[in-house]
Amino acid sequence: MSLPTSSKIIVIGGGIVGCSTAYHLAKMGQEVLLLEKAALTSGSTWHAAGLVGQLRSNANITQLLGYSIELYDRLEEETGLATGWKMNGGLRLACNNERWTEVKRQATTAHSFGLDMQLLTPKEAQDLWPLMDIGDVVGAAFLPTDGQASPSDITQALARGARNSGAQLVENCPVSEILTEKGKLIGVRTVQGDVSCERLVLCCGQWTRELAASIGVTVPLVSVEHQYMITESFGVPSDLPTLRDPDRLTYYKEEVGGLIMGGYEPNGIPWAKDGVPDPFDFQLLESNFDHFEQLVELALPRVPKLQNAGIKQLLNGPESFTPDGNFIIGEAPEMRNVFVGAGFNAFGIAAGGGAGMALAEWVVKGEPPYDLWSADIRRFGRPHTDTDWVRSRTLEAYGKHYTMAWPLEEHQSGRPCRRSPLYDRLKTAGA
């Protein structure tokens, strides 16, 4: 496809969030051009595990994830492309009384959002997920409307839906520069020529920080290695729910008669400290079996059959994470008409549909469809311009992805960054 010289709105990035944003903008009748540096899904979308859960502690983020499920449920029929979407439900285990209290509170919260989250006994959970040992399980919660998807297939379906509604999607067209004039956005420069635009949406995953920084916009995310194991087939039923076992830091989903097992270790490994190498398309990192062993040791007592299952692949793919574990969305405070949708902390597939919808409304109407402050790019301040600080805090947040969220808990990393004049005296006094 030849490159137009102008488009009202340009989306940079052809992963699930970029394609979802283009899909929703086109559905709203907007002129939209999506530019992808390589092929659609070639960043981190293609190697995502594909679990789609809805429940978060924030009501509006939960609503956004719920919209994703509504969209994925109808997308295949609308576009004619398979999405791999299965509404097989999601189980969450509690293995101590504190976690059980947390899960029961989550269930109450879910009901307030209109979600049918069911509290189960250990035996009821095992009936739904017969592969697991329940010796240490106190209780579980089941959300029937959770599911799993094929990330690449859903993205291609969104891309087709966007094209069907008039969007232009151009692959193999890297953006080398964002063009501004007197501090205002005017367009982008690509290898195929310049394109003018009124509004720009950056959905470039782990490439977003560097591109945004070139026009003075701060996007505090960093890349972290994330591994999951894919087993050979050993008779796992295709309708098995997804499983999250936060006390053992692990998650599971069925995959072609076998299992995918991954998790969030406390000592995550940062990647691309000196910038993402070029090119880096449809590429993975070297499997790190020694580092992954800590998660295997936690998983084997839960799923004893894993001990004899053949390992097809230990997949190691970098993903973008943020200092507080929530994604980054909204209009950049540093420059009008520049929007960001990035840093999805390994739940980009679950959030993709809803984030694209919210971004599209934000771009067109000047505000999100509902309060998304917990994910709004404006929540960040001056400390977040320091990439070393961001990396330090993000690695701590990565390690807490599944740990208990205690009331009034403070992070330890990146301190002391800002100090009052009394800091030293208070510290000396043992405060």
Side-chain angles (χ1 to χ4, degrees):
M1 179 184 287
S2 61
L3 195 68
T5 56
S6 69
S7 178
K8 186 176 180 182
I9 304 165
I10 292 177
V11 177
I12 305 178
I16 191 166
V17 178
C19 287
S20 176
T21 304
Y23 169 91
H24 286 94
L25 285 166
K27 287 279 186 187
M28 295 171 78
Q30 299 296 308
E31 181 188 37
V32 57
L33 168 68
L34 183 146
L35 301 173
E36 162 55 43
K37 65 180 176 57
L40 298 182
T41 79
S42 62
S44 58
T45 294
W46 73 277
H47 62 68
L51 282 75
V52 181
Q54 298 165 81
L55 190 65
R56 292 294 184 274
S57 58
N58 180 286
N60 292 328
I61 300 297
T62 297
Q63 186 179 347
L64 184 143
L65 298 175
Y67 174 84
S68 290
I69 281 176
E70 290 173 27
L71 175 63
Y72 301 163
D73 224 19
R74 65 175 190 262
L75 196 59
E76 185 169 335
E77 185 178 351
E78 178 194 324
T79 64
L81 283 182
T83 60
W85 166 245
K86 282 196 298 190
M87 193 183 283
N88 48 348
L91 262 174
R92 181 176 290 265
L93 303 182
C95 300
N96 54 62
N97 290 328
E98 292 83 4
R99 180 74 71 177
W100 185 227
T101 298
E102 182 183 66
V103 167
K104 286 188 288 187
R105 284 179 175 170
Q106 286 177 322
T108 303
T109 307
H111 296 152
S112 74
F113 302 159
L115 296 173
D116 178 27
M117 195 172 200
Q118 304 158 11
L119 293 175
L120 308 179
T121 65
K123 182 65 176 71
E124 288 170 333
Q126 190 180 43
D127 289 343
L128 283 172
W129 222 88
L131 295 169
M132 70 171 159
D133 182 283
I134 55 170
D136 62 341
V137 177
V138 176
F142 180 61
L143 198 49
T145 50
D146 278 359
Q148 63 187 70
S150 165
S152 293
D153 290 346
I154 278 206
T155 305
Q156 294 292 350
L158 287 165
R160 176 179 284 187
R163 289 189 181 104
N164 289 347
S165 296
Q168 288 184 275
L169 282 71
V170 181
E171 298 177 89
N172 301 304
C173 186
V175 171
S176 58
E177 188 181 348
I178 298 171
L179 302 175
T180 61
E181 194 174 87
K182 296 178 182 176
K184 293 182 179 178
L185 170 77
I186 60 168
V188 299
R189 177 155 292 156
T190 79
V191 292
Q192 297 181 32
D194 294 356
V195 188
S196 64
C197 67
E198 295 175 18
R199 289 172 191 166
L200 180 66
V201 192
L202 305 178
C203 302
C204 328
Q206 53 199 347
W207 289 266
T208 307
R209 188 188 78 219
E210 200 169 321
L211 184 58
S214 69
I215 54 168
V217 171
T218 299
V219 182
L221 59 80
V222 293
S223 302
V224 180
E225 296 186 16
H226 184 68
Q227 296 194 107
Y228 62 80
M229 180 176 76
I230 307 170
T231 75
E232 302 280 1
S233 174
F234 62 101
V236 176
S238 62
D239 61 350
L240 196 74
T242 61
L243 177 69
R244 290 168 180 81
D245 187 2
D247 294 308
R248 291 180 177 268
L249 309 180
T250 48
Y251 62 78
Y252 306 81
K253 80 160 191 172
E254 182 272 338
E255 180 81 1
V256 199
L259 281 179
I260 276 178
M261 185 280 283
Y264 297 90
E265 68 280 13
N267 55 337
I269 300 175
W271 182 70
K273 285 185 176 181
D274 301 318
V276 181
D278 187 30
F280 192 81
D281 310 312
F282 290 118
Q283 284 176 252
L284 294 170
L285 309 179
E286 195 172 330
S287 303
N288 189 335
F289 287 91
D290 289 343
H291 190 76
F292 194 71
E293 186 178 5
Q294 59 190 308
L295 294 178
V296 174
E297 288 174 352
L298 291 167
L300 289 179
R302 176 70 64 231
V303 189
K305 281 191 172 180
L306 279 177
Q307 296 185 41
N308 302 312
I311 306 305
K312 194 184 292 182
Q313 185 181 11
L314 179 60
L315 187 148
N316 187 359
E319 297 193 37
S320 55
F321 289 80
T322 65
D324 61 3
N326 218 334
F327 56 91
I328 301 171
I329 192 170
E331 187 173 16
E334 299 93 341
M335 186 172 292
R336 286 199 63 193
N337 297 323
V338 174
F339 296 80
V340 174
F344 279 85
N345 297 274
F347 66 100
I349 308 307
M357 174 274 293
L359 260 176
E361 289 216 13
W362 214 324
V363 169
V364 174
K365 300 178 181 178
E367 60 184 14
Y370 37 79
D371 179 10
L372 290 172
W373 178 254
S374 65
D376 195 313
I377 189 170
R378 293 171 296 173
R379 73 191 188 271
F380 296 113
R382 274 181 54 202
H384 304 96
T385 60
D386 179 347
T387 303
D388 289 335
W389 186 96
V390 170
R391 186 173 289 111
S392 170
R393 177 59 58 86
T394 298
L395 288 171
E396 183 181 9
Y398 176 93
K400 290 180 173 179
H401 195 91
Y402 275 164
T403 60
M404 281 286 296
W406 297 103
L408 306 178
E409 182 181 19
E410 292 281 358
H411 290 293
Q412 298 299 314
S413 59
R415 292 177 181 272
C417 179
R418 290 182 291 178
R419 296 183 291 273
S420 82
L422 295 174
Y423 175 82
D424 291 326
R425 284 186 231 179
L426 290 167
K427 188 175 182 183
T428 303

